[in-house]
Amino acid sequence: MPASTTTATAPVVLTAKALLLDMDGTIVNSDAVVERCWREWAVSHGLDPEEALKVVHGRQGYATMAVLLPDRSMEVNHAENAVMLARETADTDGVVPVGGAPEFMASIDGLPHALVTSADAALATARMTAAALPMPEVRVTAESVEASKPDPEGFLKGAAALGVDPADCIVFEDSAAGIAAGRAAGMRVIGVGPRAAAHAPTAHVADLTALDVTTAADGSIRVTVRAAA
């Protein structure tokens, strides 16, 4: 797997048997909600909100809290995360699809794919519904894993649920934690959006409008990156 990000302007074609999709920042733009909730949480704990936002993306809430308050018990982190999840689930103001997401999701309908998100099932449903995107039949949510991204568990479970070898999967991710998880799972990663570029995905796009998905003669999935960002 390449260690550096593809930055050429010529089309890049990646072939896979399954696609594994992160949600927040990748197909759903929920930054408005995330920033509202986590800024308030950071201030209430005497933390710099800007520093908090540097680590919140991609992780489950309790894992973010553990990074920001390393001396605090995980029991407290899990309890506060339950409150945070309820608040985020109830707040869908400003939740919209990432550019090109409706067309991208339509293009993979019927192809092997799964949602692999740090959100729990309720939050994932709320945000996918708010963004008017179809919920994948196969999904790995917070309840499905023991460890948060950057641990690869979620992506490995997604591949297993689809019956596909990890090396034959392409991950779509926006965050440092998510990209690290995909790479640790032995998968290629297409980074989506501004947060992804600095974390060495296999290829990077500004949004999903730069991607075309087709099926090859042998049944494999061809993802064409028309212009790497």
Side-chain angles (χ1 to χ4, degrees):
M1 182 177 59
S4 59
T5 303
T6 297
T7 57
T9 56
V12 175
V13 179
L14 301 177
T15 303
K17 294 182 180 178
L19 309 178
L20 302 179
L21 319 176
D22 174 52
M23 182 180 70
D24 293 304
T26 302
I27 56 176
V28 173
N29 182 346
S30 57
D31 283 3
V33 179
V34 171
E35 292 194 8
R36 276 196 300 274
C37 293
W38 282 96
R39 282 181 186 279
E40 183 176 308
W41 180 89
V43 170
S44 72
H45 289 81
L47 301 173
D48 180 348
E50 297 306 321
E51 292 302 312
L53 290 176
K54 290 179 181 179
V55 300
V56 66
H57 296 287
R59 292 179 171 85
Q60 291 190 44
Y62 76 84
T64 294
M65 294 170 185
V67 171
L68 295 170
L69 296 172
D71 297 326
R72 196 169 75 161
S73 75
M74 288 303 294
E75 183 179 5
V76 175
N77 292 339
H78 280 288
E80 285 197 6
N81 185 47
V83 175
M84 178 68 78
L85 281 170
R87 180 180 175 189
E88 288 187 289
T89 301
D91 183 357
T92 56
D93 186 25
V95 175
V96 296
V98 165
E103 296 81 5
F104 174 77
M105 296 300 288
S107 73
I108 67 173
D109 183 32
L111 300 178
H113 69 281
L115 188 73
V116 182
T117 175
S118 293
D120 67 3
L123 180 57
T125 299
R127 288 185 174 166
M128 292 290 283
T129 300
L133 295 175
M135 177 67 82
E137 181 178 341
V138 178
R139 45 194 178 270
V140 180
T141 58
E143 301 95 333
S144 309
V145 297
E146 296 295 327
S148 171
K149 299 171 187 177
D151 191 282
E153 180 187 3
F155 287 124
L156 292 173
K157 283 195 169 184
L162 294 169
V164 175
D165 188 274
D168 290 324
C169 295
I170 296 174
V171 165
F172 295 79
E173 265 286 359
D174 73 301
S175 69
I179 292 169
R183 294 182 66 183
M187 301 173 182
R188 292 154 295 160
V189 182
I190 294 179
V192 180
R195 285 187 290 270
H199 303 291
T202 309
H204 175 249
V205 293
D207 62 25
L208 298 171
T209 62
L211 300 176
D212 291 320
V213 180
T214 56
T215 305
D218 63 359
S220 62
I221 302 168
R222 292 169 55 91
V223 180
T224 301
V225 182
R226 283 186 269 104

